[in-house]
Amino acid sequence: MFAAIWIPNFRLQAAGRWREKTLASAVIDTSESRALILEASAAAKASGVQAGITSAQALARCPGLNILPRSIAQEEACGAVLLETAFAFSPRVEKTAADLATLDLTTALRNACWQRLGETIVDRLRAEALSAVAGFAPNPDHAALAARCASPVNVVYDGAAFCAGLPLASLAPDPATLAILSEWGIRTIGELLRLPKTDVITRLGPEATRLWRQASGRSRRTLRLALPRECFVENYAFDHPVETTEPLLFLLRRFLDALSKRIRDQHRVTGRMRFTLPLDDGTRHEREFAVPAPTTDADVLFRIIDTHVESLRLDQQPVGLRLELLAAAPLGRQLALFEKGLRDPNGLGETLARLQAVVGKGCVGTPVHGDTHQPDTCGLTEFDDQAVASTPAGICFGLPLRRLRPPAQVRVRLAANVPAWIDALDWAGPVERVSGPYRLSGAWWSEATWAIEEWDAEIDGRGLVRLGRRTDGWTIEGIYNLCNGGGLR
C-alpha cells in the first residue's frame, strides 16, 4: 500500500502560516508585473474570487478579502514540515511535488488501519498549522489521485474502479493532448481506458503512454526517495519593517516550540542554531549559536537567542526572520573515574553569551597557547565544556614565573657582555648571578618578525627576575616566585 499526503492551496497556506486566520484570503505573486491571484480560500471563491484575476478585481468582488504576498521561503519551510511528517511514518518517502509527498507502506503491518493512520497524519500536520489530506492506494499514482479527492482521508483498494469516474484533468495532461481528447468526447479516465491503447498511443505519442500508465495502475513506478533532513527551518516575512525586538522575540519563541517538537519526534537534539534577519536594504544579519549541551528544551534555546537579540543594534530594519536548528545525536560520553562534567552546561553557555554581549564578540572563550615560541603569546577559542570536564591537573616544572604586563623598562649595565647591574627605580642593584642568554626568534618570513634575548638574573636583595633584551632596550619580563616566599616587592 502507498500513501500520498497533499496540502491543498499550498502557496496560500504557506503565506498565511503564523498569521491571524481570516475566512476570505488569497495569495498573489508580487514579483510579477501584474499582481494576479494565485490561490484563494473557499470563502473567497464563494464570493467570486478566482485564480488569474487581478487583486483589484478580487477586492471588487470580495471587499473584505485579505491579500497575502507569496513567500518562497515559507513554502520551503512548509515543504520541509511535510517531508518530516512523512518520514515519521515511513523511511521510504518521495517528494513528488512541493505540496505532495508519497510514502511507501509496503512493509507496514498487514492489519494496519489505513483510515486511522491517515487521520493521525492529518492531525500531526494540523498541529503545525497546515491543513492536509491523505490518500491510500496500492499504486503511488492512484494514491496521489485519492489524496486529491480525500476529505480528509481516502482509502482506495481498487484503483481502476476508483479512477474510472474521475475527470481527465486529474491526470494533469498537457493542454494540447487534453484538447484533442475533449474533441473526441473523452471526459473521464474510464472513457480513456476504454479506447484501444495502441491506437491512442500511436496518435497522441509519449504523453498518451504516461496518461495510460498513470490511469491504469498496472505498472508500479519506482519512487525517487528523498533523504531525511538534518536542518529544521522556519521562515517569516513581515508586512512592514520591524522597529522593536518584541515581534522578533514573540516569533522566535513560537518557532522554537514548533522546531523543538519536530526534532524531538525525529529522536534528535539541537546541536547548533542559525539565526538570520533579512534587512530592508537587501543585506542580512546572520549569527550561529552553539548549544553547549545539545537539547530540545525550548526554554534553554530561547534564552541563548534572547541574550543576542536584546543586545542587537542594526543599521537597517529587519523585514523577515529565519531560524534554523541543526540536529545532532544525543551525547553519550562516558566520564573517567575522577572526571566530573558541568552541572548545567547550557546555563554556563547563557552566562558566556551575556558576557560576550557586554565585552564584544571574540572576547570570551578559553585561552590557548599560540603555535609559536614567542613568550606570552596566547589567544581565545570557543569554550568547550568537554575540555574543561576532562582537564587534568597541571604539572609545574621549576619555579613559576609571574610575567609583567607590560614588561618594565630598565637600564642594564654589562660586564663582558653579561648583565652586571640593573639601574631603575625600585629595581636598582647588582646582579649576583646570571644565566643565559636564551635567544628566541620567529616569523622571520613575514613582516611580523620578532626576536628576544632572555637572561635569568638574581638581583642582590631583590630576588630572581627574567630579563629581556630587544632592539629597543632592556626590560624585566617577569618575576620568579621563590619557594621561601621571596621575590621583588
Side-chain angles (χ1 to χ4, degrees), residues 2-287:
F2 290 84
I5 310 173
W6 179 49
I7 301 179
N9 290 334
F10 179 72
R11 291 172 289 186
L12 177 59
Q13 289 200 53
R17 194 162 176 251
W18 306 114
R19 299 176 184 268
E20 185 178 357
K21 300 300 181 182
T22 56
L23 292 177
S25 58
V27 62
I28 61 174
D29 191 352
T30 56
S31 62
E32 300 292 337
S33 57
R34 296 183 63 193
L36 301 180
I37 299 295
L38 298 178
E39 292 175 349
S41 63
K45 292 179 180 179
S47 299
V49 179
Q50 300 176 356
I53 66 176
T54 62
S55 56
Q57 292 172 331
L59 288 173
R61 299 180 184 184
C62 182
L65 183 66
N66 181 24
I67 298 180
L68 303 173
R70 182 185 181 186
S71 176
I72 301 297
Q74 291 178 214
E75 291 177 14
E76 293 176 356
C78 291
V81 174
L82 176 62
L83 285 180
E84 293 164 15
T85 304
F87 275 114
F89 297 92
S90 174
R92 298 173 56 84
V93 176
E94 177 192 63
K95 184 181 178 181
T96 309
D99 58 351
L100 181 65
T102 304
L103 291 70
D104 185 353
L105 301 176
T106 54
T107 58
L109 298 176
R110 293 186 178 181
N111 58 349
C113 180
W114 307 120
Q115 183 71 28
R116 186 179 303 172
L117 178 61
E119 293 174 354
T120 304
I121 294 174
V122 171
D123 290 340
R124 179 168 293 195
L125 284 171
R126 187 181 296 114
E128 299 292 340
L130 290 173
S131 177
V133 294
F136 295 82
N139 183 278
D141 294 326
H142 287 172
L145 294 175
R148 297 183 185 275
C149 301
S151 179
V153 180
N154 187 11
V155 181
V156 173
Y157 294 98
D158 189 349
F162 165 74
C163 295
L166 296 180
L168 194 60
S170 302
L171 300 177
D174 61 65
T177 303
L178 182 61
I180 294 174
L181 292 174
S182 299
E183 293 178 358
W184 292 357
I186 305 301
R187 300 288 187 271
T188 65
I189 296 178
E191 294 174 348
L192 173 65
L193 294 177
R194 285 195 292 269
L195 295 176
K197 177 180 177 180
T198 305
D199 296 340
V200 173
I201 293 176
T202 301
R203 296 192 180 191
L204 300 182
E207 178 66 10
T209 305
R210 183 189 69 83
L211 295 178
W212 206 283
R213 184 183 301 112
Q214 186 176 353
S216 63
R218 295 178 181 175
S219 59
R220 181 182 300 175
R221 65 179 181 84
T222 303
L223 298 182
R224 300 181 296 274
L225 300 180
L227 295 177
R229 297 176 63 90
E230 295 294 327
C231 181
F232 298 76
V233 185
E234 284 292 356
N235 284 280
Y236 189 83
F238 295 107
D239 296 331
H240 306 284
V242 176
E243 298 180 355
T244 60
T245 60
E246 283 77 8
L248 297 178
L249 295 176
F250 176 76
L251 277 174
L252 282 172
R253 180 65 203 200
R254 296 188 64 184
F255 283 0
L256 287 172
D257 288 338
L259 291 172
S260 298
K261 180 180 180 301
R262 287 159 53 184
I263 291 182
R264 196 180 305 114
D265 292 340
Q266 300 292 331
H267 307 287
R268 308 295 293 278
V269 292
T270 301
R272 305 186 73 86
M273 297 185 294
R274 190 175 295 124
F275 170 71
T276 306
L277 288 177
L279 306 179
D280 55 0
D281 63 347
T283 60
R284 291 174 176 267
H285 168 78
E286 294 185 358
R287 177 69 188 275

Side-chain angles (χ1 to χ4, degrees), residues 304 307 344-358 364:
I304 295 175
T307 302
D344 185 7
N346 289 319
L348 175 62
E350 181 183 355
T351 302
L352 295 176
R354 292 184 181 276
L355 288 174
Q356 187 170 357
V358 174
V364 178

